[in-house]
Amino acid sequence: MVSEQAAQVLVASNRGPVSYTLRDDGELEARRGGGGLVSGLSAIGPDTDAVWVCAALGEGDREAVRRTGGRLDQADTGDQRVRMLGIAPEVYADAYNAVANSTLWFVHHMLYQTPLEPAFGPEFRAQWASYEAYNRAFAEALADEAGDGAAVLVQDYHLALVPGMLRALRPDLRIGHFSHTPWAPVDYFRLLPDDIARQLLRGILGADRAAFLTHRWADAFTACCTELLGDTGKTRIGVHGLGADADFLRERAHRADVDDRIVSLREQIGEADGAPRKAIVRVDRTELSKNIVRGLLAYRQLLTDRPEWRGRVVHVAFAYPSRQDLAVYRSYTAEVQRVAEEINDEFGQEGWLPVVLHVEDDFARSLASYRLADVALVNPIRDGMNLVAKEIPVVSDNGCALVLSREAGAYEELGEDAVVVNPYDISATAAALHTALTMPDDERTQRTKRLAAAATALPPQRWFLDQLEALRALD
């Protein structure tokens, strides 16, 4: 049954624009989120009836669903209509942790140690059934909320089956699916059981448009469809390279709290021969794909190969813990800390700490590091885009040389003006850091301007509207 408040634009994603915490006094405290989707959905204007369908992520969210039936108070959500789904915790855990984040994410980022994993047996099949149920809950909610001929934008690998399921329920809808991660090449994608690999592809091909962050990921998806299904059918393939929000970043980066963090960071970096030391900055979550450990090893190699940099440069590394409910992520975070401590023990001297490592999330401090960075190190193994690579040139005070992995999605747009590296090659990355540190000021300034222009070509609101307009324009 279609809702009485049928929407004309719908967004579906695992995480919504608001989350709830259950306080000790029994009251619910709402916290609004940010990001490209929030900015994008706000761009359609108040005259368009829109709704966001998302999942309850924790006990606070689930309690909000119990009290409201899942249709949230718009005062909490920034005047956005939100339908939050109270999916059973055990079903959600299997779908989100076991399948989406521990299988599909690993496939698309090509991170398996294949002599040992993956191993798809009965336990995985049970988890896959939960993934199907989770996707079905979204499809049914979207079918219920959508008006006749509405446009539905389904987000990411968590919801790969939704377009096909929704198409069966509501053939009148315009459906788009957007992948925020890389897409695996055919040979790696075929690690998945054959029937599940085909089910995933058919799920996305239930959409009128399947869109990606780069042409490379779009081509990989098309190749998988051709190999496993014969073709992509009637589904159109699109590319929308999400850019940085320049206006927000520049305004936020010059608030007082950021200025305070700059003073603190400058004190930690210190001076050499009466001048501020050079700063190599990285800002990442401790996701396995971010390649933080190899980045640290490359910095150690720089200090080994180029002793003239000892005492004259500091690696400011922000590694904010991610997915700590998974053991492999906890181990990786510990390894980042161990290697940073080793470098400090090996090279540190009075008045100079080679690595300044912070693991407590602090957005103002991240922006402060963006502004003062001489070199930005962005060396992921694979990334759908990597917005840090785009954000740093936008807010840099004095120009910043970008050392960028060729495996980041951002390479497609920024590679020409970055110092490009193979993320597995520690020696070459160390050499690239030296090149970036010694780049002439004028060249660094000009490169930063071009990087910033490319980085902001498709800001979040335009990125969202481009997808919506392309979907509505289909024959």
Side-chain angles (χ1 to χ4, degrees):
M1 176 180 290
V2 176
S3 167
E4 292 181 3
Q5 285 186 285
Q8 288 304 306
V9 176
L10 299 93
V11 169
S13 64
N14 175 69
R15 182 180 298 275
V18 64
S19 60
Y20 290 87
T21 301
L22 186 61
R23 300 195 315 227
D24 292 340
D25 62 4
E27 293 299 311
L28 286 169
E29 183 175 326
R31 180 179 180 183
R32 297 179 193 174
L37 283 175
V38 173
S39 298
L41 193 57
S42 68
I44 63 174
D47 296 333
T48 302
D49 193 5
V51 67
W52 191 321
V53 179
C54 61
L57 304 187
E59 186 51 39
D61 287 355
R62 286 190 284 273
E63 180 61 25
V65 171
R66 284 191 285 271
R67 296 183 186 184
T68 65
R71 289 183 170 85
L72 304 182
D73 187 339
Q74 288 178 246
D76 292 344
T77 63
D79 292 327
Q80 293 177 332
R81 283 179 53 207
V82 176
R83 170 87 176 268
M84 185 176 281
L85 307 180
I87 296 166
E90 62 276 10
V91 172
Y92 181 83
D94 276 354
Y96 182 75
N97 285 328
V99 175
N101 287 344
S102 295
T103 304
L104 302 183
W105 193 89
F106 272 70
V107 167
H108 289 315
H109 289 83
M110 300 172 62
L111 285 176
Y112 277 120
Q113 299 180 61
T114 52
L116 299 174
E117 55 186 9
F120 298 116
E123 182 181 9
F124 177 75
R125 291 288 174 171
Q127 293 163 343
W128 182 255
S130 292
Y131 182 80
E132 291 174 316
Y134 162 85
N135 275 253
R136 191 173 300 111
F138 271 85
E140 290 172 352
L142 290 165
D144 180 45
E145 296 286 343
D148 292 341
V152 183
L153 295 170
V154 181
Q155 304 299 311
D156 228 356
Y157 59 101
H158 311 94
L159 302 177
L161 303 182
V162 167
M165 292 175 170
L166 182 57
R167 175 69 62 209
L169 294 170
R170 292 288 304 275
D172 62 299
L173 300 179
R174 293 290 178 91
I175 304 170
H177 185 276
F178 193 91
S179 293
H180 294 260
T181 65
W183 192 272
V186 173
D187 288 348
Y188 211 90
F189 186 71
R190 297 203 74 168
L191 290 178
L192 291 166
D194 290 350
D195 60 319
I196 286 174
R198 292 188 176 93
Q199 189 179 352
L200 283 165
L201 295 174
R202 290 192 183 105
I204 293 177
L205 293 180
D208 297 283
R209 284 186 93 245
F212 300 84
L213 288 164
T214 74
H215 290 90
R216 182 181 178 186
W217 312 143
D219 291 346
F221 174 77
T222 300
C224 288
C225 291
T226 301
E227 178 73 17
L228 276 73
L229 303 177
D231 56 35
T232 57
K234 296 180 180 179
T235 302
R236 308 284 183 86
I237 307 299
V239 173
H240 304 273
L242 176 62
D245 188 340
D247 292 340
F248 165 74
L249 287 169
R250 287 171 178 148
E251 185 278 325
R252 182 65 184 88
H254 287 85
R255 293 184 194 174
D257 60 342
V258 177
D259 291 335
D260 291 342
R261 303 302 197 282
I262 287 179
V263 172
S264 177
L265 285 174
R266 280 294 181 200
E267 290 177 353
Q268 293 176 49
I269 294 167
E271 295 185 347
D273 301 325
R277 293 188 175 106
K278 297 282 189 179
I280 299 172
V281 168
R282 83 169 307 133
V283 179
D284 277 312
R285 300 216 167 267
T286 53
E287 294 175 358
L288 307 183
S289 63
K290 298 300 183 183
N291 210 23
I292 301 170
V293 170
R294 287 192 189 88
L296 288 166
L297 294 176
Y299 177 64
R300 180 164 68 184
Q301 194 65 45
L302 171 73
L303 298 179
T304 300
D305 295 344
R306 299 281 185 172
E308 67 267 27
W309 284 114
R310 297 177 193 176
R312 296 179 52 225
V313 65
V314 172
H315 186 13
V316 179
F318 298 158
Y320 301 141
S322 174
R323 301 177 184 175
Q324 295 298 290
D325 51 336
L326 299 177
V328 66
Y329 285 84
R330 293 194 298 272
S331 297
Y332 187 73
T333 301
E335 181 66 5
V336 168
Q337 293 173 303
R338 186 191 70 77
V339 174
E341 289 169 4
E342 273 192 358
I343 295 170
N344 285 336
D345 289 343
E346 181 179 357
F347 292 101
Q349 53 192 248
E350 186 176 355
W352 176 54
L353 193 67
V355 180
V356 173
L357 176 68
H358 288 284
V359 297
E360 305 84 13
D361 200 342
D362 185 331
F363 184 53
R365 187 178 58 208
S366 297
L367 290 174
S369 74
Y370 287 4
R371 286 179 54 188
L372 59 75
D374 297 290
V375 175
L377 176 57
V378 181
N379 68 318
I381 294 168
R382 269 168 84 83
D383 243 341
M385 177 53 68
N386 197 297
L387 282 178
V388 170
K390 293 189 169 187
E391 291 169 351
I392 292 179
V394 172
V395 299
S396 172
D397 282 350
N398 299 305
C400 177
L402 174 63
V403 176
L404 179 65
S405 166
R406 67 191 186 198
E407 298 300 317
Y411 166 74
E412 191 165 291
E413 297 158 275
L414 306 184
E416 187 173 340
D417 285 297
V419 182
V420 178
V421 296
N422 171 350
Y424 297 96
D425 192 336
I426 292 167
S427 296
T429 303
L433 291 173
H434 176 72
T435 298
L437 286 166
T438 56
M439 186 178 291
D441 290 346
D442 182 61
E443 179 183 353
R444 187 177 65 182
T445 298
Q446 293 306 313
R447 286 194 188 213
T448 302
K449 289 179 181 178
R450 293 192 295 269
L451 288 168
T456 56
L458 200 65
Q461 290 189 345
R462 188 68 256 165
W463 169 82
F464 181 88
L465 290 176
D466 276 7
Q467 293 176 66
L468 182 60
E469 290 166 4
L471 188 60
R472 286 172 163 171
L474 293 176
D475 296 334

